[in-house]
Amino acid sequence: MPDAKATEHARLLELREQLERHNHLYHVLDDPQISDAEYDRLFREAVELEARHPEWVTPDSPTQRVGGAPVAGFRVVEHAVQMLSLDNAMSREELIAFDARVRRYLATAEELAYSAEPKYDGVAVELVYEQGRFALGSTRGDGRTGEDVSHNLRTVRTIPLRLRGAKPPPLLEVRGEVLMPLADFARLNEERAALGLEPFANPRNSTAGTLRQLDPKSAASRPLEFFVYGIGRGEEWLGAKAHSELLARLRELGFRVDTRREECVGIAGALAFHEGLERERDGLPYEVDGTVVKVDDFALQRRLGTLNRSPRWAIAFKFPPRQETTRVIGIEASVGRTGTLTPVAVLEPVRIGGVTVEHATLHNQDEIDRLDVRVGDTVFVERAGDVIPKVVKVVRERRPPDTVPYRLPETCPICGERTVRSEGEVALRCPNPRCPAKLRERLRHFASRNALDIDGLGEKRVDQLVSAERVKRPSDLFGLTAEKLAALEGMGEKSAQNLVEALERAKNTSSARFLYALGIRHVGEHVAAVLARAYPDLSRLLDATSDELEAVDEIGPTIALAIRLWLDEPENRDEFQRLRELLRISSAPVRELAESTTLAGRTCVITGTLEEPRSTWKARLEAAGAKVTDSVSKKTSFLLAGENAGAKLEKARELGVAVIDEREAARLIAEGPGA
């Protein structure tokens, strides 16, 4: 049996893979498949695991990044100042804890001035103005790069094409949200229905789809609006000293600022604003899923600084997920890349938050047993803006008398192979390496952006290739010709040639990408990079024993066993060799995963009685890039203080040095690369 630490590490790797997938579905494909509430649960679980084990934090963790990557087809734009996302508070207690954390960091007991405003459920964009004229508009993308959608943003009437005022700033980067009013969304779906087109799932999907239209006439025909909420570069020209002042200046320049915002004294004022907004929620003209609370003073914002993916001075206080009741009319099992069977409840259609819901995830057999959900049951379904919500409760009192407990099938619903459940695992799996469902998911993973990044090999094309039996394993992709592809329905000669060229480009790859693309269980991007660094000669990996794999730093017994089992399958071993011969795999060393951290260059002092030895904290902080000294001075960035801190604590307070506890220190170490 794996030990507890190995189990936790394996769970973290699984969470990272899930979060990356759902980031891609939500931010890139506009095809979300879990609710916001479920995503938040997975994200928070990953954050908690990394807080307990800071040594596991890596730059490629979803907790260290924002969102997903830009889609192909639009020019990539690099943001001069990173567009960050926000941490979430899900309760009053968590918002109050945010306030306490901020004031502790600032070493003040006084109430702070906060700005509170609606958190829109739209698409974040950046607008660049040069000499007062609109020059460029892009989506947030992954926070560092986005997509150039200027041609569509120009059609949004609430975006000024020229700034008001006699002396516009030479350069101004404005951030805000593009969204579609609910009434206009309803009319748009009525028009689509009348034309026999599939309606949009929700206003956010319709907004994202509109911004990705290649023809600006399509965007111009759809009623989008824009609310400004901040800026990138140009703050010094505007001369604002607080967020509230900034919005007033932007309003003067011609931008639309939401009137549903307030300046609040203390966190109690922000709570009152949030409660009022929640009461108004169903009557608002657009989708809102919470309140954004920001420290108003810019000088304090600068002192607080930012983490890698979010600012310390702001938080999103989310509304409770929406729930409705409906009836389960069926339960289906889907098969994933590693053969995992995932049960999905088929529901009587129900409207939740303006969206018709027909499916809900049930996760696994253990979750089905915990809920005791059966076909025919009336259930509570929860949704927070996504397409596939989850069942949260069964109404036992309304259960029909003839229902029976549901069990995942003993044979794969796709290939008929007998399913297996490994000791100590929740998942039921199909072990058949030739299962068409596994092959489809395996090919999608193989072609994904962070694997071989094969442009043009999307979900529908993969389905076609598998159904036509043109591809039976990933290596078969490189035997495809333009003639073979052009024979597929809907595939023209130009598209076929483009895909062949994309496959040829994909042959140039790195060891880390190759290992990740194989789809070995528990081998995400970070583990693939670790393996590539440990085994520059991939033939050595092929024959590495479990003990040798475990000897590699960050490879535990669970991962080592998964790798060994995968490589011991004759078909996998053969595929490994075939791909090595087909691909041009670079053996260049993988760059270090932590070139710089948010603690790099910062000076800290440790004092008082701590739960862990000071020597341990000193080693951790120095490994994260900090300089640990013995005395507090004006140059000290922060003081890590335990009980009975004494004179050093007094000196820190006297000098205005930030004072943190062990929990905050672990959080800082876990932040990873700096912005």
Side-chain angles (χ1 to χ4, degrees):
M1 291 287 289
D3 60 28
K5 189 172 182 180
T7 300
E8 284 194 333
H9 195 241
R11 174 58 178 163
L12 178 60
L13 295 174
E14 182 182 2
L15 285 167
R16 286 177 178 171
E17 188 171 355
Q18 289 183 47
L19 290 167
E20 277 297 316
R21 177 172 178 268
H22 292 300
N23 271 333
H24 184 73
L25 286 167
Y26 186 89
H27 293 286
V28 178
L29 303 181
D30 302 312
D31 184 27
Q33 294 184 5
I34 61 172
S35 69
D36 283 349
E38 175 63 12
Y39 181 90
D40 290 340
R41 184 188 69 77
L42 295 172
F43 189 93
R44 289 153 73 87
E45 185 182 351
V47 169
E48 288 167 6
L49 283 170
E50 291 181 347
R52 287 203 296 274
H53 303 282
E55 69 276 15
W56 292 348
V57 179
T58 62
D60 63 346
S61 169
T63 66
Q64 307 298 302
R65 60 177 294 182
V66 183
V71 298
F74 294 90
R75 184 172 70 90
V76 174
V77 175
E78 186 171 350
H79 302 302
V81 178
Q82 186 181 7
M83 294 184 71
L84 300 172
S85 62
L86 298 175
D87 277 341
N88 293 328
M90 309 304 293
S91 65
R92 290 171 58 93
E93 291 74 22
E94 290 187 6
L95 185 66
I96 292 168
F98 160 76
D99 172 62
R101 192 162 59 246
V102 167
R103 290 192 289 145
R104 184 170 64 247
Y105 196 95
L106 296 173
T108 180
E110 296 181 6
E111 287 189 324
L112 298 174
Y114 287 106
S115 175
E117 55 200 48
K119 182 182 180 299
Y120 313 106
D121 192 13
V123 177
V125 299
E126 178 178 74
L127 314 176
V128 179
Y129 289 82
E130 296 175 354
Q131 303 300 330
R133 289 180 169 82
F134 176 75
L136 175 68
S138 59
T139 60
R140 183 172 66 184
D142 65 0
R144 296 187 183 277
T145 59
E147 307 158 2
D148 183 351
V149 289
S150 306
H151 61 297
N152 289 327
L153 289 173
R154 288 179 186 277
T155 70
V156 180
R157 294 184 180 274
T158 45
I159 292 178
L161 297 180
R162 179 180 296 185
L163 301 181
R164 297 174 65 87
K167 293 184 177 180
L171 175 67
L172 182 66
E173 294 173 347
V174 175
R175 274 90 184 268
E177 199 93 356
V178 177
L179 46 82
M180 184 176 291
L182 291 168
D184 294 314
F185 171 71
R187 281 195 292 271
L188 176 63
N189 267 351
E190 287 174 5
E191 292 170 3
R192 292 178 67 82
L195 294 171
L197 300 174
E198 186 177 346
F200 286 112
N202 53 51
R204 185 195 175 279
N205 278 27
S206 63
T207 300
T210 299
L211 291 182
R212 288 187 172 92
Q213 293 292 312
L214 294 175
D215 184 357
K217 292 179 182 177
S218 298
S221 68
R222 297 179 184 177
L224 299 181
E225 296 186 5
F226 174 78
F227 281 117
V228 66
Y229 57 62
I231 62 172
R233 291 183 294 176
E235 178 184 322
E236 68 287 346
W237 187 91
L238 296 176
K241 296 182 179 179
H243 179 70
S244 51
E245 288 182 35
L246 171 68
L247 293 182
R249 300 280 194 280
L250 292 172
R251 187 181 182 89
E252 291 169 3
L253 291 173
F255 293 101
R256 187 180 185 193
V257 176
D258 198 336
T259 56
R260 292 178 179 83
R261 58 165 304 277
E262 290 181 9
E263 298 161 46
C264 309
V265 177
I267 205 65
L271 276 166
F273 173 89
H274 178 82
E275 289 166 357
L277 187 66
E278 188 172 3
R279 286 192 295 270
E280 291 183 57
R281 182 183 185 185
D282 290 333
L284 294 176
Y286 42 80
E287 284 279 7
V288 169
D289 58 6
T291 300
V292 176
V293 178
K294 302 176 182 176
V295 173
D296 197 43
D297 188 288
F298 283 160
L300 295 182
Q301 287 187 11
R302 285 189 287 271
R303 280 180 60 190
L304 288 160
T306 63
L307 310 180
N308 187 49
R309 65 173 299 275
S310 58
R312 283 196 185 88
W313 42 264
I315 198 163
F317 187 12
K318 303 290 284 292
F319 290 141
R322 295 180 185 270
Q323 291 186 347
E324 283 290 351
T325 57
T326 185
R327 194 171 68 87
V328 178
I329 58 178
I331 299 177
E332 299 174 346
S334 64
V335 182
R337 170 172 56 88
T338 61
T340 300
L341 271 64
T342 301
V344 175
V346 182
L347 308 171
E348 283 187 347
V350 61
R351 297 282 290 179
I352 307 178
V355 173
T356 300
V357 172
E358 298 181 74
H359 298 87
T361 181
L362 294 170
H363 301 292
N364 51 52
Q365 186 65 54
D366 282 7
E367 181 70 0
I368 291 174
D369 294 344
R370 184 184 71 80
L371 292 167
D372 188 23
V373 61
R374 307 178 184 186
V375 175
D377 274 341
T378 297
V379 294
F380 278 92
V381 179
E382 185 175 275
R383 174 189 173 270
D386 284 338
V387 176
I388 298 187
K390 65 174 183 176
V391 173
V392 294
K393 182 181 178 183
V394 174
V395 184
R396 302 282 179 85
E397 295 78 10
R398 298 175 63 180
R399 171 173 285 170
D402 56 347
T403 62
V404 294
Y406 176 83
R407 302 294 303 173
L408 280 167
E410 294 183 357
T411 58
C412 174
I414 306 301
C415 69
E417 184 84 4
R418 188 170 184 82
T419 55
V420 297
R421 180 172 179 171
S422 300
E423 185 179 357
E425 291 190 355
V426 172
L428 197 67
R429 301 179 187 281
C430 168
N432 179 10
R434 297 187 183 86
C435 176
K438 290 173 67 175
L439 175 59
R440 286 187 177 92
E441 294 301 322
R442 186 180 177 188
L443 290 172
R444 290 168 191 164
H445 175 79
F446 187 81
S448 65
R449 184 179 182 85
N450 294 325
L452 262 63
D453 193 17
I454 304 173
D455 189 23
L457 194 59
E459 186 172 329
K460 290 181 180 178
R461 193 63 68 205
V462 166
D463 288 347
Q464 263 191 314
L465 291 170
V466 173
S467 298
E469 297 187 346
R470 297 294 174 87
V471 175
K472 296 183 179 180
R473 52 185 174 178
S475 58
D476 291 345
L477 290 168
F478 301 101
L480 294 172
T481 64
E483 291 75 21
K484 289 179 181 177
L485 288 168
L488 295 173
E489 184 180 352
M491 175 73 92
E493 291 183 7
K494 180 64 175 175
S495 297
Q497 186 59 40
N498 287 342
L499 181 51
V500 169
E501 291 172 2
L503 286 163
E504 186 61 31
R505 289 194 300 271
K507 288 182 179 180
N508 297 309
T509 191
S510 67
S511 296
R513 280 179 173 267
F514 166 67
L515 293 172
Y516 173 66
L518 293 175
I520 302 171
R521 194 162 170 238
H522 299 314
V523 178
E525 290 176 69
H526 174 63
V527 172
V530 169
L531 286 170
R533 195 163 54 241
Y535 292 94
D537 179 358
L538 290 175
S539 60
R540 286 186 55 238
L541 174 62
L542 198 61
D543 296 314
T545 65
S546 293
D547 288 343
E548 289 171 345
L549 288 166
E550 280 188 56
V552 176
D553 189 31
E554 298 190 71
I555 304 295
T558 301
I559 301 173
L561 179 61
I563 296 168
R564 194 62 264 155
L565 288 174
W566 192 93
L567 290 171
D568 284 342
E569 284 284 343
E571 289 192 16
N572 291 340
R573 197 177 183 86
D574 179 59
E575 182 68 353
F576 187 97
Q577 295 285 42
R578 279 171 57 87
L579 286 169
R580 283 186 63 203
E581 293 170 4
L582 287 165
L583 303 178
R584 295 180 285 270
I585 302 172
S586 168
S587 58
V590 180
R591 69 174 178 83
E592 288 300 312
L593 296 173
E595 294 175 348
S596 63
T597 71
T598 52
L599 289 175
R602 299 182 71 177
T603 302
C604 58
V605 175
I606 306 172
T607 189
T609 304
L610 302 166
E611 292 181 12
E612 295 190 57
R614 289 193 197 181
S615 58
T616 300
W617 279 114
K618 183 174 186 292
R620 286 185 182 179
L621 290 163
E622 288 178 342
K627 179 182 178 183
V628 180
T629 61
D630 293 325
S631 58
V632 178
S633 69
K634 289 183 178 179
K635 294 182 179 179
T636 303
S637 304
F638 61 86
L639 175 72
L640 170 55
E643 295 181 6
N644 306 314
K648 290 181 181 179
L649 178 59
E650 292 179 12
K651 184 70 177 290
R653 287 172 174 167
E654 180 185 325
L655 295 174
V657 172
V659 179
I660 66 172
D661 57 17
E662 286 176 274
R663 185 175 179 180
E664 181 68 11
R667 180 184 173 91
L668 284 169
I669 292 168
E671 283 163 18

